Amino acid sequence: HPYIYKIIFATANESSALVIRPFNEKGTLKDLIYKAKPKDPFLKKYCNPKKIQGLELQQIKTYGRQILEVLKFLHEKGFPYGHLHSANVMLDGDTCKLLDLENSLLGLPSFYRSYFSQFRKIN
């Protein structure tokens, strides 16, 4: 799918998994929002939010549509994706591509699990 970031190499055994993707100089959607460089340390990038900027309306429309299209594609294929957040959206030019699709296959809990597990009758 054009909105899924490619994997160069993947392997797994009984106790671990390894996934390698190409490095992207632009970084993730979170890097764009925080005006951060992908190679900077995590604390330097995200723990001093002086430089946070919003997205322009056209960016929101474009990125939103692309994310919804890939989520629809995954849903139609019966593939769960519970790790949607700005750090799992890679920017490739003006295109968004989802990362970490393998998390559900590896049995990792959803990013939002703590939020919706408090509701007993959620469908």
mmCIF file of all heavy atoms in Angstrom, residues 90-123:
data_model
loop_
_atom_site.group_PDB
_atom_site.id
_atom_site.type_symbol
_atom_site.label_atom_id
_atom_site.label_comp_id
_atom_site.label_asym_id
_atom_site.label_seq_id
_atom_site.Cartn_x
_atom_site.Cartn_y
_atom_site.Cartn_z
ATOM 1 N N MET A 90 5.357 8.230 9.379
ATOM 2 C CA MET A 90 6.575 8.716 8.732
ATOM 3 C C MET A 90 6.192 9.660 7.598
ATOM 4 O O MET A 90 5.227 9.415 6.875
ATOM 5 C CB MET A 90 7.373 7.538 8.175
ATOM 6 C CG MET A 90 8.697 7.929 7.566
ATOM 7 S SD MET A 90 9.887 8.577 8.754
ATOM 8 C CE MET A 90 10.343 7.104 9.624
ATOM 9 N N LEU A 91 6.948 10.730 7.446
ATOM 10 C CA LEU A 91 6.722 11.665 6.349
ATOM 11 C C LEU A 91 7.697 11.361 5.225
ATOM 12 O O LEU A 91 8.894 11.251 5.442
ATOM 13 C CB LEU A 91 6.913 13.105 6.830
ATOM 14 C CG LEU A 91 5.935 13.578 7.889
ATOM 15 C CD1 LEU A 91 6.271 14.987 8.318
ATOM 16 C CD2 LEU A 91 4.515 13.503 7.378
ATOM 17 N N ASP A 92 7.144 11.215 4.036
ATOM 18 C CA ASP A 92 7.949 10.959 2.846
ATOM 19 C C ASP A 92 7.488 11.952 1.794
ATOM 20 O O ASP A 92 6.533 11.712 1.065
ATOM 21 C CB ASP A 92 7.737 9.519 2.388
ATOM 22 C CG ASP A 92 8.697 9.101 1.293
ATOM 23 O OD1 ASP A 92 9.660 9.853 1.018
ATOM 24 O OD2 ASP A 92 8.494 8.027 0.706
ATOM 25 N N GLY A 93 8.118 13.118 1.774
ATOM 26 C CA GLY A 93 7.640 14.215 0.941
ATOM 27 C C GLY A 93 6.337 14.732 1.526
ATOM 28 O O GLY A 93 6.257 15.046 2.703
ATOM 29 N N ASP A 94 5.299 14.767 0.719
ATOM 30 C CA ASP A 94 3.975 15.161 1.205
ATOM 31 C C ASP A 94 3.092 13.947 1.466
ATOM 32 O O ASP A 94 1.870 14.044 1.447
ATOM 33 C CB ASP A 94 3.287 16.081 0.188
ATOM 34 C CG ASP A 94 3.886 17.475 0.192
ATOM 35 O OD1 ASP A 94 4.436 17.874 1.234
ATOM 36 O OD2 ASP A 94 3.791 18.159 -0.843
ATOM 37 N N THR A 95 3.719 12.819 1.703
ATOM 38 C CA THR A 95 2.993 11.577 1.913
ATOM 39 C C THR A 95 3.245 11.044 3.319
ATOM 40 O O THR A 95 4.370 11.050 3.795
ATOM 41 C CB THR A 95 3.448 10.517 0.883
ATOM 42 O OG1 THR A 95 3.282 11.055 -0.424
ATOM 43 C CG2 THR A 95 2.654 9.244 1.006
ATOM 44 N N CYS A 96 2.187 10.599 3.970
ATOM 45 C CA CYS A 96 2.281 9.940 5.271
ATOM 46 C C CYS A 96 2.320 8.434 5.058
ATOM 47 O O CYS A 96 1.589 7.914 4.222
ATOM 48 C CB CYS A 96 1.049 10.247 6.120
ATOM 49 S SG CYS A 96 1.030 11.870 6.816
ATOM 50 N N LYS A 97 3.157 7.762 5.833
ATOM 51 C CA LYS A 97 3.235 6.303 5.763
ATOM 52 C C LYS A 97 3.263 5.753 7.185
ATOM 53 O O LYS A 97 4.047 6.214 8.014
ATOM 54 C CB LYS A 97 4.471 5.871 4.989
ATOM 55 C CG LYS A 97 4.434 6.359 3.545
ATOM 56 C CD LYS A 97 5.549 5.808 2.720
ATOM 57 C CE LYS A 97 5.399 6.292 1.286
ATOM 58 N NZ LYS A 97 6.262 5.592 0.384
ATOM 59 N N LEU A 98 2.407 4.762 7.449
ATOM 60 C CA LEU A 98 2.317 4.187 8.788
ATOM 61 C C LEU A 98 3.494 3.278 9.080
ATOM 62 O O LEU A 98 3.998 2.576 8.211
ATOM 63 C CB LEU A 98 1.024 3.385 8.945
ATOM 64 C CG LEU A 98 -0.276 4.151 9.023
ATOM 65 C CD1 LEU A 98 -1.412 3.210 9.385
ATOM 66 C CD2 LEU A 98 -0.215 5.289 10.011
ATOM 67 N N LEU A 99 3.901 3.291 10.349
ATOM 68 C CA LEU A 99 4.966 2.427 10.856
ATOM 69 C C LEU A 99 4.376 1.444 11.866
ATOM 70 O O LEU A 99 3.263 1.617 12.351
ATOM 71 C CB LEU A 99 6.019 3.266 11.586
ATOM 72 C CG LEU A 99 6.738 4.344 10.810
ATOM 73 C CD1 LEU A 99 7.497 5.248 11.756
ATOM 74 C CD2 LEU A 99 7.694 3.707 9.827
ATOM 75 N N ASP A 100 5.158 0.456 12.228
ATOM 76 C CA ASP A 100 4.879 -0.472 13.323
ATOM 77 C C ASP A 100 3.604 -1.283 13.136
ATOM 78 O O ASP A 100 2.897 -1.568 14.099
ATOM 79 C CB ASP A 100 4.858 0.264 14.664
ATOM 80 C CG ASP A 100 6.223 0.806 15.049
ATOM 81 O OD1 ASP A 100 7.218 0.385 14.419
ATOM 82 O OD2 ASP A 100 6.308 1.621 15.958
ATOM 83 N N LEU A 101 3.329 -1.706 11.912
ATOM 84 C CA LEU A 101 2.186 -2.581 11.676
ATOM 85 C C LEU A 101 2.402 -3.949 12.313
ATOM 86 O O LEU A 101 1.447 -4.650 12.618
ATOM 87 C CB LEU A 101 1.948 -2.757 10.176
ATOM 88 C CG LEU A 101 1.049 -1.716 9.536
ATOM 89 C CD1 LEU A 101 1.701 -0.367 9.486
ATOM 90 C CD2 LEU A 101 0.607 -2.166 8.186
ATOM 91 N N GLU A 102 3.641 -4.312 12.546
ATOM 92 C CA GLU A 102 3.956 -5.636 13.091
ATOM 93 C C GLU A 102 3.636 -5.773 14.577
ATOM 94 O O GLU A 102 3.602 -6.870 15.113
ATOM 95 C CB GLU A 102 5.428 -5.985 12.842
ATOM 96 C CG GLU A 102 6.427 -5.128 13.589
ATOM 97 C CD GLU A 102 6.700 -3.769 12.963
ATOM 98 O OE1 GLU A 102 6.215 -3.489 11.857
ATOM 99 O OE2 GLU A 102 7.406 -2.976 13.600
ATOM 100 N N ASN A 103 3.363 -4.658 15.263
ATOM 101 C CA ASN A 103 3.134 -4.719 16.706
ATOM 102 C C ASN A 103 1.993 -5.655 17.086
ATOM 103 O O ASN A 103 2.100 -6.407 18.061
ATOM 104 C CB ASN A 103 2.882 -3.321 17.272
ATOM 105 C CG ASN A 103 4.146 -2.500 17.329
ATOM 106 O OD1 ASN A 103 5.239 -3.007 17.114
ATOM 107 N ND2 ASN A 103 4.004 -1.221 17.599
ATOM 108 N N SER A 104 0.902 -5.633 16.344
ATOM 109 C CA SER A 104 -0.220 -6.513 16.682
ATOM 110 C C SER A 104 0.137 -7.978 16.428
ATOM 111 O O SER A 104 -0.301 -8.860 17.164
ATOM 112 C CB SER A 104 -1.471 -6.121 15.896
ATOM 113 O OG SER A 104 -1.247 -6.263 14.517
ATOM 114 N N LEU A 105 0.944 -8.241 15.411
ATOM 115 C CA LEU A 105 1.374 -9.614 15.144
ATOM 116 C C LEU A 105 2.285 -10.142 16.244
ATOM 117 O O LEU A 105 2.309 -11.335 16.525
ATOM 118 C CB LEU A 105 2.111 -9.692 13.804
ATOM 119 C CG LEU A 105 1.301 -9.335 12.564
ATOM 120 C CD1 LEU A 105 2.204 -9.302 11.342
ATOM 121 C CD2 LEU A 105 0.161 -10.309 12.376
ATOM 122 N N LEU A 106 3.015 -9.229 16.883
ATOM 123 C CA LEU A 106 3.935 -9.609 17.953
ATOM 124 C C LEU A 106 3.254 -9.665 19.316
ATOM 125 O O LEU A 106 3.874 -10.003 20.309
ATOM 126 C CB LEU A 106 5.112 -8.624 18.006
ATOM 127 C CG LEU A 106 5.988 -8.592 16.750
ATOM 128 C CD1 LEU A 106 6.986 -7.448 16.819
ATOM 129 C CD2 LEU A 106 6.689 -9.924 16.558
ATOM 130 N N GLY A 107 1.980 -9.299 19.360
ATOM 131 C CA GLY A 107 1.242 -9.368 20.613
ATOM 132 C C GLY A 107 1.432 -8.172 21.521
ATOM 133 O O GLY A 107 1.101 -8.230 22.706
ATOM 134 N N LEU A 108 1.967 -7.068 20.988
ATOM 135 C CA LEU A 108 2.136 -5.873 21.804
ATOM 136 C C LEU A 108 0.790 -5.196 22.010
ATOM 137 O O LEU A 108 -0.028 -5.139 21.098
ATOM 138 C CB LEU A 108 3.110 -4.903 21.123
ATOM 139 C CG LEU A 108 4.531 -5.425 20.943
ATOM 140 C CD1 LEU A 108 5.341 -4.465 20.105
ATOM 141 C CD2 LEU A 108 5.191 -5.640 22.286
ATOM 142 N N PRO A 109 0.533 -4.683 23.199
ATOM 143 C CA PRO A 109 -0.763 -4.042 23.441
ATOM 144 C C PRO A 109 -0.891 -2.748 22.645
ATOM 145 O O PRO A 109 0.093 -2.093 22.323
ATOM 146 C CB PRO A 109 -0.760 -3.762 24.936
ATOM 147 C CG PRO A 109 0.676 -3.739 25.318
ATOM 148 C CD PRO A 109 1.383 -4.668 24.369
ATOM 149 N N SER A 110 -2.112 -2.382 22.361
ATOM 150 C CA SER A 110 -2.411 -1.161 21.635
ATOM 151 C C SER A 110 -1.882 0.052 22.398
ATOM 152 O O SER A 110 -1.864 0.078 23.629
ATOM 153 C CB SER A 110 -3.922 -1.025 21.451
ATOM 154 O OG SER A 110 -4.249 0.267 21.035
ATOM 155 N N PHE A 111 -1.495 1.072 21.664
ATOM 156 C CA PHE A 111 -1.035 2.330 22.261
ATOM 157 C C PHE A 111 -2.116 2.927 23.164
ATOM 158 O O PHE A 111 -1.835 3.513 24.193
ATOM 159 C CB PHE A 111 -0.671 3.310 21.147
ATOM 160 C CG PHE A 111 -0.187 4.654 21.618
ATOM 161 C CD1 PHE A 111 1.106 4.814 22.089
ATOM 162 C CD2 PHE A 111 -1.016 5.761 21.583
ATOM 163 C CE1 PHE A 111 1.561 6.045 22.512
ATOM 164 C CE2 PHE A 111 -0.568 7.001 22.009
ATOM 165 C CZ PHE A 111 0.728 7.138 22.480
ATOM 166 N N TYR A 112 -3.372 2.744 22.776
ATOM 167 C CA TYR A 112 -4.493 3.332 23.511
ATOM 168 C C TYR A 112 -5.147 2.369 24.498
ATOM 169 O O TYR A 112 -6.182 2.683 25.055
ATOM 170 C CB TYR A 112 -5.553 3.840 22.513
ATOM 171 C CG TYR A 112 -5.018 4.899 21.600
ATOM 172 C CD1 TYR A 112 -4.727 4.631 20.276
ATOM 173 C CD2 TYR A 112 -4.774 6.185 22.071
ATOM 174 C CE1 TYR A 112 -4.214 5.605 19.442
ATOM 175 C CE2 TYR A 112 -4.259 7.163 21.246
ATOM 176 C CZ TYR A 112 -3.994 6.873 19.932
ATOM 177 O OH TYR A 112 -3.486 7.834 19.112
ATOM 178 N N ARG A 113 -4.555 1.212 24.732
ATOM 179 C CA ARG A 113 -5.174 0.194 25.584
ATOM 180 C C ARG A 113 -5.555 0.744 26.948
ATOM 181 O O ARG A 113 -6.639 0.479 27.456
ATOM 182 C CB ARG A 113 -4.250 -1.001 25.746
ATOM 183 C CG ARG A 113 -4.878 -2.131 26.530
ATOM 184 C CD ARG A 113 -3.916 -3.304 26.697
ATOM 185 N NE ARG A 113 -4.570 -4.449 27.268
ATOM 186 C CZ ARG A 113 -4.930 -4.567 28.533
ATOM 187 N NH1 ARG A 113 -4.727 -3.583 29.372
ATOM 188 N NH2 ARG A 113 -5.522 -5.652 28.983
ATOM 189 N N SER A 114 -4.679 1.508 27.558
ATOM 190 C CA SER A 114 -4.959 2.030 28.905
ATOM 191 C C SER A 114 -6.163 2.961 28.919
ATOM 192 O O SER A 114 -6.860 3.066 29.928
ATOM 193 C CB SER A 114 -3.737 2.748 29.472
ATOM 194 O OG SER A 114 -3.412 3.863 28.668
ATOM 195 N N TYR A 115 -6.430 3.627 27.801
ATOM 196 C CA TYR A 115 -7.567 4.544 27.738
ATOM 197 C C TYR A 115 -8.895 3.799 27.611
ATOM 198 O O TYR A 115 -9.856 4.129 28.275
ATOM 199 C CB TYR A 115 -7.424 5.520 26.566
ATOM 200 C CG TYR A 115 -6.206 6.387 26.677
ATOM 201 C CD1 TYR A 115 -5.121 6.201 25.833
ATOM 202 C CD2 TYR A 115 -6.123 7.395 27.639
ATOM 203 C CE1 TYR A 115 -3.995 6.996 25.935
ATOM 204 C CE2 TYR A 115 -5.004 8.195 27.742
ATOM 205 C CZ TYR A 115 -3.942 7.990 26.891
ATOM 206 O OH TYR A 115 -2.832 8.764 26.995
ATOM 207 N N PHE A 116 -8.944 2.795 26.729
ATOM 208 C CA PHE A 116 -10.240 2.152 26.525
ATOM 209 C C PHE A 116 -10.465 0.926 27.390
ATOM 210 O O PHE A 116 -11.565 0.417 27.458
ATOM 211 C CB PHE A 116 -10.539 1.856 25.055
ATOM 212 C CG PHE A 116 -9.538 1.007 24.325
ATOM 213 C CD1 PHE A 116 -9.409 -0.339 24.592
ATOM 214 C CD2 PHE A 116 -8.764 1.571 23.341
ATOM 215 C CE1 PHE A 116 -8.502 -1.114 23.900
ATOM 216 C CE2 PHE A 116 -7.854 0.811 22.643
ATOM 217 C CZ PHE A 116 -7.721 -0.538 22.923
ATOM 218 N N SER A 117 -9.446 0.433 28.099
ATOM 219 C CA SER A 117 -9.660 -0.719 28.964
ATOM 220 C C SER A 117 -10.459 -0.347 30.212
ATOM 221 O O SER A 117 -11.004 -1.217 30.880
ATOM 222 C CB SER A 117 -8.323 -1.354 29.355
ATOM 223 O OG SER A 117 -7.562 -0.457 30.118
ATOM 224 N N GLN A 118 -10.564 0.936 30.515
ATOM 225 C CA GLN A 118 -11.342 1.357 31.670
ATOM 226 C C GLN A 118 -12.847 1.264 31.414
ATOM 227 O O GLN A 118 -13.641 1.276 32.337
ATOM 228 C CB GLN A 118 -10.968 2.776 32.073
ATOM 229 C CG GLN A 118 -11.233 3.817 31.004
ATOM 230 C CD GLN A 118 -10.670 5.170 31.374
ATOM 231 O OE1 GLN A 118 -10.592 5.507 32.528
ATOM 232 N NE2 GLN A 118 -10.304 5.950 30.370
ATOM 233 N N PHE A 119 -13.244 1.130 30.156
ATOM 234 C CA PHE A 119 -14.661 1.019 29.815
ATOM 235 C C PHE A 119 -15.026 -0.456 29.662
ATOM 236 O O PHE A 119 -14.538 -1.124 28.766
ATOM 237 C CB PHE A 119 -14.969 1.777 28.523
ATOM 238 C CG PHE A 119 -14.625 3.226 28.599
ATOM 239 C CD1 PHE A 119 -13.542 3.726 27.904
ATOM 240 C CD2 PHE A 119 -15.369 4.092 29.385
ATOM 241 C CE1 PHE A 119 -13.207 5.066 27.984
ATOM 242 C CE2 PHE A 119 -15.043 5.421 29.476
ATOM 243 C CZ PHE A 119 -13.957 5.929 28.769
ATOM 244 N N ARG A 120 -15.872 -0.972 30.521
ATOM 245 C CA ARG A 120 -16.200 -2.392 30.520
ATOM 246 C C ARG A 120 -17.078 -2.814 29.354
ATOM 247 O O ARG A 120 -17.003 -3.930 28.879
ATOM 248 C CB ARG A 120 -16.869 -2.773 31.835
ATOM 249 C CG ARG A 120 -15.950 -2.644 33.004
ATOM 250 C CD ARG A 120 -16.692 -2.979 34.294
ATOM 251 N NE ARG A 120 -15.829 -2.717 35.425
ATOM 252 C CZ ARG A 120 -15.260 -3.651 36.137
ATOM 253 N NH1 ARG A 120 -15.468 -4.902 35.871
ATOM 254 N NH2 ARG A 120 -14.480 -3.318 37.155
ATOM 255 N N LYS A 121 -17.954 -1.935 28.889
ATOM 256 C CA LYS A 121 -18.928 -2.329 27.872
ATOM 257 C C LYS A 121 -18.618 -1.733 26.512
ATOM 258 O O LYS A 121 -19.510 -1.514 25.711
ATOM 259 C CB LYS A 121 -20.329 -1.910 28.314
ATOM 260 C CG LYS A 121 -20.795 -2.646 29.546
ATOM 261 C CD LYS A 121 -22.209 -2.282 29.898
ATOM 262 C CE LYS A 121 -22.631 -3.043 31.136
ATOM 263 N NZ LYS A 121 -24.009 -2.784 31.468
ATOM 264 N N ILE A 122 -17.378 -1.479 26.219
ATOM 265 C CA ILE A 122 -17.032 -0.900 24.928
ATOM 266 C C ILE A 122 -17.148 -1.974 23.843
ATOM 267 O O ILE A 122 -16.819 -3.121 24.059
ATOM 268 C CB ILE A 122 -15.615 -0.285 24.961
ATOM 269 C CG1 ILE A 122 -15.394 0.629 23.773
ATOM 270 C CG2 ILE A 122 -14.541 -1.345 25.003
ATOM 271 C CD1 ILE A 122 -14.203 1.544 23.943
ATOM 272 N N ASN A 123 -17.669 -1.601 22.705
ATOM 273 C CA ASN A 123 -17.801 -2.514 21.568
ATOM 274 C C ASN A 123 -16.703 -2.234 20.559
ATOM 275 O O ASN A 123 -16.469 -1.122 20.213
ATOM 276 C CB ASN A 123 -19.165 -2.346 20.885
ATOM 277 C CG ASN A 123 -20.290 -2.843 21.773
ATOM 278 O OD1 ASN A 123 -20.099 -3.798 22.514
ATOM 279 N ND2 ASN A 123 -21.432 -2.199 21.692
#
